[in-house]
């Protein structure tokens, strides 16, 4: 039911290396590339290394940095794929709800209210959530939260967890074990991801929120997002349309994903923890990268540079490098 297959890109990927190995992952050689530099007073003070793949509108790789076969955890970057699996299994939610299910939200009152609405459609409340307790991750939202105790609803993945629970209710699956990798819900999510990536999950761990976390190759994940971007599957189109319609629910005011999606019509973005970023444009042009040190400060300049090489240009807010309260440098994408 998907738009394209790995076979379509065989001639592009053939020479990149052997198949992904799922055993003894610690012995894999990781050939990192320089992705961005932190420049102070004309001198490079710090460097961000990692792995990046950019695919053009035809699906051909036009920019490759680092090792395309390195195995990584995509973290929250794959929430749109997780949401697709939920809808495929019968989840029926309004557009705003779908956007929050794909979100790593800032924890505003609107975000938590929408998460609660999702739960209510399934006859559930906050007590059913099994994500970890947390305070809002948005700067302003956390300030407004003050000294309140952390809650599961304020946790940035509560929308995803609410969607998972609602999917379980629709299918009469047990909700007590919805985070078990062997649960029918998590099996469906893994199958959706594997079908899009064109490869099997190499390892399963636990994400920060408590949900199963799947290890895949950079090239598999880049393919997955390209296929998601160009899919004719109504489910995929519905999920992406929801995120583009409500970018403020996917992240939050002032955050990179939200602000760039609002600025550039047709640009989809989803950040993941530990320096992971997925993004694609309405024509299918796709950028996927992982900053190895886990920092996010260079994400927008890396995206700007990679999309620019494919003829898609937009402005970003460059992080300021300050000295004595004055801007004396910048973060730049590596050439």
């Amino acid at each position: 039911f998907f738009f394209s297959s790995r076979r379509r890109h065989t001639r592009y990927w053939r020479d990149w290396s052997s198949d992904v190995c799922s055993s003894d992952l610690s012995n894999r050689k990781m050939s990192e590339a320089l992705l961005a530099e932190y420049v102070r007073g004309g001198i490079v003070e710090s460097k961000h290394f990692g792995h990046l793949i950019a695919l053009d509108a035809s699906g051909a790789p036009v920019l490759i940095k680092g090792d395309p076969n390195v195995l990584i955890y995509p973290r929250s970057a794959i929430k749109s794929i997780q949401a697709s699996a939920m809808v495929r299994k019968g989840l029926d939610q309004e557009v705003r709800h779908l956007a929050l299910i794909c979100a790593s939200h800032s924890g505003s009152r609107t975000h938590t209210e929408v998460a609660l609405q999702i739960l209510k459609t399934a006859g559930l409340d906050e007590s059913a959530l099994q994500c970890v307790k947390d305070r809002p991750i948005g700067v302003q939202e956390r300030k407004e939260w003050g000294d309140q105790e952390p809650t599961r609803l304020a946790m940035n993945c509560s929308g995803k967890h609410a969607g998972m629970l609602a999917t379980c209710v629709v299918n009469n699956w047990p909700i007590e074990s919805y985070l078990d990798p062997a649960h029918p819900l998590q099996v469906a999510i893994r199958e959706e991801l594997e079908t899009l990536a064109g490869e099997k999950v190499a390892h399963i761990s636990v994400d920060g929120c408590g949900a199963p976390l799947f290890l895949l190759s950079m090239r598999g994940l880049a393919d997955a997002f390209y296929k998601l971007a160009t899919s004719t599957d109504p489910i995929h189109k519905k999920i992406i349309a929801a995120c583009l319609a409500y970018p403020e629910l996917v992240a939050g005011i002032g955050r990179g994903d939200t602000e760039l999606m609002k600025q550039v019509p047709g640009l989809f973005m989803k950040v993941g923890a530990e320096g992971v970023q997925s993004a694609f444009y309405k024509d299918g042009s796709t950028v996927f990268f992982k900053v190895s040190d886990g920092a996010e400060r260079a994400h927008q300049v890396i995206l700007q540079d990679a999309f620019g090489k494919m003829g898609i240009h937009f402005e970003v807010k460059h992080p300021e490098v300050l000295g004595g309260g004055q801007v004396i440098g910048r973060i730049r994408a590596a050439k």
Side-chain angles (χ1 to χ4, degrees), residues 79 82-94 96-103 105 114-122 124-125 128-131 153 156-171 173-175 178-179 183 185-186 189 239:
K79 282 179 176 173
Q82 292 170 307
S84 294
M86 296 179 215
V87 174
R88 200 172 303 287
K89 288 301 180 180
L91 180 66
D92 185 15
Q93 295 282 326
E94 63 177 87
R96 292 172 73 250
H97 293 179
L98 291 176
L100 195 81
I101 289 169
C102 297
H105 64 73
V114 174
L116 195 55
Q117 289 167 13
I118 297 168
L119 290 168
K120 287 181 178 178
T121 65
L124 302 172
D125 58 26
L129 292 170
Q130 292 182 29
C131 54
L153 207 57
N156 73 89
C157 297
S158 64
K160 178 184 75 174
H161 282 254
M164 288 179 170
L165 285 162
T167 306
C168 290
V169 170
V170 168
N171 289 278
W173 292 334
I175 63 172
Y178 79 94
L179 295 182
H183 190 285
L185 169 70
Q186 301 302 338
I189 288 172
I239 292 296

Side-chain angles (χ1 to χ4, degrees), residues 110-162:
T110 297
H111 292 141
T112 57
E113 286 176 351
V114 174
L116 195 55
Q117 289 167 13
I118 297 168
L119 290 168
K120 287 181 178 178
T121 65
L124 302 172
D125 58 26
E126 184 178 356
S127 65
L129 292 170
Q130 292 182 29
C131 54
V132 297
K133 294 180 179 180
D134 200 359
R135 295 179 174 86
I137 62 171
V139 174
Q140 183 60 36
E141 289 81 2
R142 181 165 288 216
K143 186 180 299 184
E144 293 172 357
W145 190 264
D147 296 330
Q148 296 180 69
E149 290 298 314
T151 69
R152 300 190 198 282
L153 207 57
M155 199 270 165
N156 73 89
C157 297
S158 64
K160 178 184 75 174
H161 282 254

